[in-house]
Amino acid sequence: MDKFIIRGGNPLVGTVHVSGAKNSALPCMAAAILTEEEVTLENIPQVRDIATERRLLASMGAAVELHEPVTPGDGFSAAPQNHTTISCRSLSDPVARYEIVKTMRASSLVLGALIARTGAARVAMPGGCAIGGRPIDQHIKGLEKMGAVIVQQHGYLEASAPRLRGAHIVFDRITVTGTEDLLMAAVLAEGETLLENCAREPEVVDLAGLLAAMGAKIQGAGTSMIRVQGVARLHGARYRINPDRIEAGTFLIAGAITGGDLIVANCNTEHLGAMIAKLSEAGARIDALGPDSVRVRGAAQLRSADISTEEYPGFPTDMQAQYMALATQAEGVSLVRENIFENRFMHVQELVRMGASIKVDGNTATVRGPARLSSAAVMCSDLRASASLVLAALVADGESVVDRVYHMDRGYERIEEKLRGVGAQIQRMGNVFAPRPEKPINQPA
Ligand code: EPU
């Protein structure tokens, strides 16, 4: 298991480039299932979740090819241009196997597309997750309303529908992948589908952009009401994935927390509103340098500012852990309220081990700062928690060891190279300890 060795104290200075959005790329790759023709996606981030989805599509019979750039990136200049082609001409085996999807929650994203394209699907139920139970009842309810018959057995959802029909669906609660799943189902359904109380995240808009390029008829993506006129077939398309707003936000915090002077390039500043507003409130100096580039400068002393996670355009839950690292360095008391997931404070104990003063009560963490963070060996528990620990280690005094960075590799592309390129002292190390031998099967735990 890889770890990062990070020596804190360096202000980050220079330009860092943002990769394509993982959470756009995942549904867009699933959308390729909807056509027999080739779909080409540009700017897909090379992260572990994407590799898992590539394997998943390939296991169903799709041909997935990653075309690497001729000149590899150096980690801190512009991201290398890659593109991925996906051809789902034949989907010989429309099954999302547990062995492949168990590490990636987004497996439910292939459910709607598989039913729409093949009339049947067998998808392993995603298990629990470090950040919460994460049910998919809204996906199932919506697909059933469109005429799918779905049964759950042996850990799989078995679904069938000769042809989905348009329906009027009101989500009981806002769900990002739920909106995306039903959108993919609706584009090939017979007649009109009206989706209400939809997620308005830029990733939904990205998916709708690709689907429209494939010939789908969609109105209202990015608002809470989406109207879809089903079509008989979709064709191939070429589409460029938007920059990752969460990676961009993580770099903004990296610049602010280290008292640096960082240009975050290749981003979409339109998607960063809530994060920029909050960092400015906390005293960081932020200047938009155009539509795709932001400069962040640290403050002599950051100030406390409360956050409350909300659906887009509110402050993203995917930035809560990173913001908490920043709050440990801000003068005063910051309240961090998590409203989307029930268990997304796993980073708190690790930050406390580094010297942060944080108390959790229900869904609210009270952070008192500024705390002098000291280096420690800490453990990543999920993707964004790992980013939080890396940020804390960048300002801790001494050398921290951040373990289980495979969580970080799920969603951040070449993160240590990018951070090193702007002055961070960070190294990746393979596990220096010998792995524990496997326990004999019958031995009691
Ligand atoms: N929910 C339900 N029923 C459902 C679906 C969701 O109760 O059928 C609940 C969830 O349990 C949660 C809330 O609704 O409490 C919102 O969940 P949502 O469905 O919006 O989350 P998701 O679609 O599973 C995506 C991102 C997450 C991000 C959330 C919220 C992808 C692949 N994942 O998850 O990203 O946190 O939206 O914005 O798009 C990450 O990148 O680190 C990450 C976890």
Side-chain angles (χ1 to χ4, degrees):
M1 253 182 265
D2 289 4
K3 354 177 142 193
F4 287 149
I5 313 292
I6 301 172
R7 177 166 284 280
N10 284 13
L12 301 192
V13 177
T15 300
V16 64
H17 289 79
V18 174
S19 300
K22 163 186 85 86
N23 289 348
S24 287
L26 290 170
C28 286
M29 289 173 77
I33 290 173
L34 294 165
T35 176
E36 292 176 6
E37 295 178 19
E38 188 170 273
V39 171
T40 300
L41 297 172
E42 297 171 6
N43 204 30
I44 287 198
Q46 297 312 309
V47 296
R48 204 159 59 95
D49 275 7
I50 295 295
T52 306
E53 181 143 350
R54 218 184 290 139
R55 275 203 298 139
L56 175 63
L57 292 172
S59 75
M60 295 177 185
V64 188
E65 266 182 64
L66 168 66
H67 303 269
E68 299 269 22
V70 182
T71 322
D74 54 12
F76 48 93
S77 56
Q81 299 299 309
N82 64 59
H83 67 273
T84 297
T85 51
I86 307 174
S87 168
C88 296
R89 181 172 299 281
S90 86
L91 282 173
S92 46
D93 199 10
V95 180
R97 286 196 177 69
Y98 181 68
E99 297 69 45
I100 300 179
V101 303
K102 65 184 174 193
T103 58
M104 186 187 64
R105 300 271 327 161
S107 60
S108 45
L109 275 173
V110 297
L111 185 61
L114 278 179
I115 306 174
R117 166 76 188 278
T118 70
R122 197 162 171 263
V123 173
M125 298 272 296
C129 166
I131 63 176
R134 304 185 75 177
I136 55 164
D137 56 298
Q138 296 302 305
H139 302 231
I140 296 171
K141 203 167 150 188
L143 290 166
E144 284 177 342
K145 204 145 185 224
M146 296 174 84
V149 175
I150 303 181
V151 289
Q152 185 188 329
Q153 49 191 356
H154 312 302
Y156 278 78
L157 292 172
E158 318 245 357
S160 60
R163 179 157 185 212
L164 294 169
R165 333 176 270 278
H168 181 186
I169 294 159
V170 183
F171 290 102
D172 296 326
R173 68 173 294 171
I174 299 174
T175 155
V176 177
T177 52
T179 302
E180 292 162 350
D181 201 12
L182 293 198
L183 190 53
M184 285 189 263
V187 290
L188 286 181
E190 192 172 348
E192 181 176 286
T193 299
L194 182 61
L195 301 173
E196 286 194 73
N197 199 24
C198 295
R200 295 178 286 162
E201 266 65 3
E203 294 75 28
V204 174
V205 180
D206 234 359
L207 170 65
L210 167 64
L211 292 170
M214 293 166 72
K217 298 203 162 67
I218 302 169
Q219 282 177 332
T223 74
S224 60
M225 194 192 291
I226 303 180
R227 198 180 289 275
V228 183
Q229 298 292 339
V231 295
R233 61 179 298 278
L234 294 176
H235 51 75
R238 187 174 185 107
Y239 187 79
R240 185 170 176 80
I241 304 287
N242 248 297
D244 195 310
R245 65 195 168 97
I246 304 301
E247 188 195 7
T250 304
F251 289 137
L252 287 179
I253 290 190
I257 198 173
T258 60
D261 184 351
L262 200 59
I263 293 175
V264 180
N266 275 13
C267 61
N268 186 338
T269 52
E270 256 183 42
H271 299 160
L272 304 175
M275 297 179 242
I276 288 179
K278 205 41 81 172
L279 286 177
S280 305
E281 195 181 326
R285 214 168 124 196
I286 309 228
D287 298 294
L289 302 178
D292 61 0
S293 183
V294 187
R295 179 177 184 189
V296 57
R297 278 172 281 181
Q301 175 57 62
L302 292 163
R303 302 184 290 270
S304 60
D306 301 343
I307 61 158
S308 187
T309 63
E310 309 285 349
E311 291 89 2
Y312 189 82
F315 193 92
T317 172
D318 289 346
M319 284 300 299
Q320 178 258 106
Q322 300 90 314
Y323 183 82
M324 200 182 292
L326 180 99
T328 68
Q329 300 307 295
E331 170 109 52
V333 174
S334 305
L335 298 182
V336 174
R337 216 165 269 125
E338 172 56 54
N339 297 308
I340 307 295
F341 291 110
E342 66 265 31
N343 190 28
R344 211 171 195 182
F345 281 146
M346 305 276 282
H347 42 285
V348 169
Q349 279 321 309
E350 298 301 275
L351 291 174
V352 167
R353 291 184 57 247
M354 296 176 81
S357 163
I358 309 173
K359 292 253 172 333
V360 174
D361 182 13
N363 73 339
T364 304
T366 304
V367 187
R368 273 168 218 284
R372 181 147 186 247
L373 298 184
S374 62
S375 56
V378 288
M379 191 98 86
C380 304
S381 53
D382 75 69
L383 170 55
R384 308 304 171 187
S386 24
S388 163
L389 299 181
V390 167
L391 290 167
L394 289 176
V395 288
D397 92 32
E399 194 172 271
S400 294
V401 180
V402 180
D403 203 351
R404 300 202 177 167
V405 297
Y406 60 85
H407 286 292
M408 191 136 193
D409 294 335
R410 283 187 45 210
Y412 288 90
E413 185 178 70
R414 302 178 295 120
I415 185 73
E416 72 276 26
E417 289 176 36
K418 291 190 185 189
L419 290 173
R420 225 175 13 244
V422 288
Q425 294 190 62
I426 173 170
Q427 295 294 337
R428 180 183 289 261
M429 304 271 289
N431 195 347
V432 290
F433 301 108
R436 278 192 299 178
E438 290 281 296
K439 207 159 27 81
I441 289 170
N442 292 326
Q443 187 180 302

